[in-house]
Amino acid sequence: VDCNFNNKSRRPQFGTRFLTDPKQVFQHNAWDNVEWTDDQEEAAKRKVSENSYPLPAEKQEEYDSRANEYWNEFYTIHENRFFKDRHWLFTEFPELAPQCSTLNHTSHIDEPQGSNLDQDRCRDSGAEDSCDFPGSSASYRILEVGCGVGNTVFPILKTNNDPGLFVYCCDFSSTAVELVKNNPEYDPGRCFAFVQDLSDAEASYPIPDGSLDVIVLIFVLSALHPDKMQASITRLARLLKPGGTILLRDYGRYDMAQLRFKKGRCLSENFYVRGDGTRVYFFTQDELHELFTRAELEKVQNLVDRRLQVNRGKQLTMYRVWIQCKYKKLGSSVKGLA
């Protein structure tokens, strides 16, 4: 099973429904890999430029200091009704599928199947405190950062029945984490949910450095202030085992959501505040590549997914732009578990 999709020419996971005849646009709800015309790109740039006058500094500071409050309010209002479970996960990110976790138990190091070298390293190093953590006996560990109410975590737990799997999930919002813990599908024997501020690079995690196989970031990095993104990614990279991977899917530049922002919503270049006070940034591939490589991670995948969504009832077309990345940690030493 190809868990890493190293073949750079291969993009089957983004779908194969191509719009070849514009007259057929309303025949389906969505079209894959839609190429933009030069005129369309220029129109998007103009639209963004028109609405790029940033709010006053004191207003920006208010949105930054009250970010936790806004997200708690969001989840208090919507609970688990806003986002749908992400069943596309295993197509886009086969690293989360059971066959890949089984294969990767030993992919980062040459060890006998069934052994737990992480615990052996802990005992040998004398760092007993770092050995006693939730999921310490697991052989494959996944962390989702910005888990919301569990629309990624619960599909993973339902689909991946690997007995060696343990899933961690965290969110800035304590309200969201409580909703995860109160979900009847939450199993403390396979999952551990906790509150964590990703933007606080100095904060400790309940997991030692060098202990994770996969970190998942789905539409979460874009919620951070751009000035805090680099330190946050660098901190997450420390949690990965050698060979571990960060998987990201997030908003791309000129996505429909960016073009819909009116004047008075811009915080800084390509960074906006929604009506509910939550914030969002729209990335380019190069920006994300720089964030990951500065954290000493190596590119496996960095692709733009351009999709045309269609409202057939209202005869509307909506152009979505998402970026999907996979970056891997190299090296052989594991800080904290070595």
Side-chain angles (χ1 to χ4, degrees):
V1 178
D2 179 6
C3 297
N4 294 317
F5 282 86
N6 286 319
N7 185 345
K8 293 180 174 57
S9 64
R10 180 178 176 185
R11 290 182 58 177
Q13 68 266 46
F14 288 161
T16 55
R17 182 180 288 155
F18 305 122
L19 180 62
T20 54
D21 180 359
K23 294 177 183 177
Q24 302 296 314
V25 66
F26 294 110
Q27 294 300 308
H28 297 284
N29 292 325
W31 298 93
D32 302 307
N33 299 329
V34 177
E35 293 299 324
W36 285 30
T37 65
D38 291 342
D39 289 346
Q40 194 175 358
E41 187 114 5
E42 282 304 313
K45 288 179 182 178
R46 284 196 303 272
K47 179 73 173 173
V48 167
S49 179
E50 289 169 7
N51 300 331
S52 289
Y53 298 100
L55 290 169
E58 61 272 16
K59 197 68 179 171
Q60 296 202 36
E61 174 56 34
E62 177 189 334
Y63 287 119
D64 197 54
S65 61
R66 297 178 61 191
N68 184 42
E69 181 183 328
Y70 289 126
W71 279 111
N72 276 331
E73 189 173 330
F74 174 90
Y75 287 112
T76 299
I77 293 169
H78 298 288
E79 294 186 342
N80 61 354
R81 298 182 297 270
F82 192 82
F83 300 108
K84 296 179 180 178
D85 282 357
R86 293 160 172 159
H87 295 293
W88 50 264
L89 280 169
F90 308 101
T91 303
E92 305 292 352
F93 297 131
E95 293 85 352
L96 304 175
Q99 66 268 27
C100 289
S101 59
T102 303
L103 283 175
N104 279 310
H105 283 171
T106 57
S107 65
H108 61 284
I109 195 160
D110 188 14
E111 62 177 281
Q113 187 69 27
S115 72
N116 197 323
L117 235 59
D118 288 346
Q119 289 189 319
D120 293 344
R121 289 195 201 102
C122 280
R123 286 189 289 270
D124 292 345
S125 67
E128 293 297 334
D129 290 344
S130 70
C131 304
D132 186 19
F133 62 95
S136 59
S137 62
S139 50
Y140 195 76
R141 304 189 192 97
I142 297 171
L143 165 66
E144 188 197 8
V145 181
C147 64
V149 297
N151 300 97
T152 294
V153 168
F154 293 123
I156 292 173
L157 290 171
K158 280 188 279 189
T159 302
N160 193 333
N161 56 6
D162 173 9
L165 172 71
F166 197 90
V167 180
Y168 307 88
C169 58
C170 64
D171 202 279
F172 189 28
S173 166
S174 57
T175 303
V177 172
E178 282 306 305
L179 286 165
V180 169
K181 288 183 175 180
N182 291 331
N183 190 306
E185 295 179 12
Y186 181 73
D187 178 1
R190 301 184 69 213
C191 183
F192 181 72
F194 57 99
V195 177
Q196 189 80 26
D197 180 0
L198 174 60
S199 69
D200 184 358
E202 301 302 315
S204 62
Y205 281 75
I207 317 156
D209 290 355
S211 60
L212 296 175
D213 294 275
V214 177
I215 296 175
V216 184
L217 294 163
I218 298 180
F219 298 106
V220 62
L221 189 62
S222 53
L224 269 61
H225 192 288
D227 291 347
K228 297 180 179 179
M229 291 178 183
Q230 184 63 68
S232 301
I233 291 295
T234 301
R235 177 67 187 95
L236 289 178
R238 283 169 44 196
L239 295 172
L240 287 173
K241 297 176 182 178
T245 306
I246 291 184
L247 309 176
L248 174 141
R249 189 170 175 86
D250 220 321
Y251 297 102
R253 190 71 45 85
Y254 309 136
D255 176 64
M256 174 191 75
Q258 182 177 16
L259 303 185
R260 282 185 169 180
F261 277 108
K262 308 289 191 231
K263 291 178 181 177
R265 288 288 161 193
C266 183
L267 297 171
S268 60
E269 197 171 356
N270 303 301
F271 189 46
Y272 303 83
V273 61
R274 302 183 181 96
D276 60 7
T278 61
R279 299 173 298 174
V280 59
Y281 187 85
F282 296 86
F283 293 100
T284 65
Q285 288 173 278
D286 288 344
E287 287 171 344
L288 286 166
H289 182 71
E290 185 170 352
L291 287 171
F292 286 121
T293 53
R294 282 189 173 182
E296 299 183 352
L297 300 175
E298 182 180 72
K299 183 177 81 169
V300 176
Q301 183 186 77
N302 184 326
L303 298 170
V304 176
D305 183 7
R306 296 181 185 270
R307 198 161 295 183
L308 173 57
Q309 295 180 338
V310 175
N311 183 322
R312 290 191 277 182
K314 296 182 179 180
Q315 297 284 287
L316 295 176
T317 56
M318 300 163 283
Y319 288 87
R320 304 312 309 259
V321 183
W322 299 306
I323 299 180
Q324 185 164 300
C325 294
K326 302 180 185 185
Y327 281 76
K328 184 178 289 289
K329 183 175 183 176
L330 302 179
S332 56
S333 63
V334 185
K335 185 178 179 182
L337 295 180

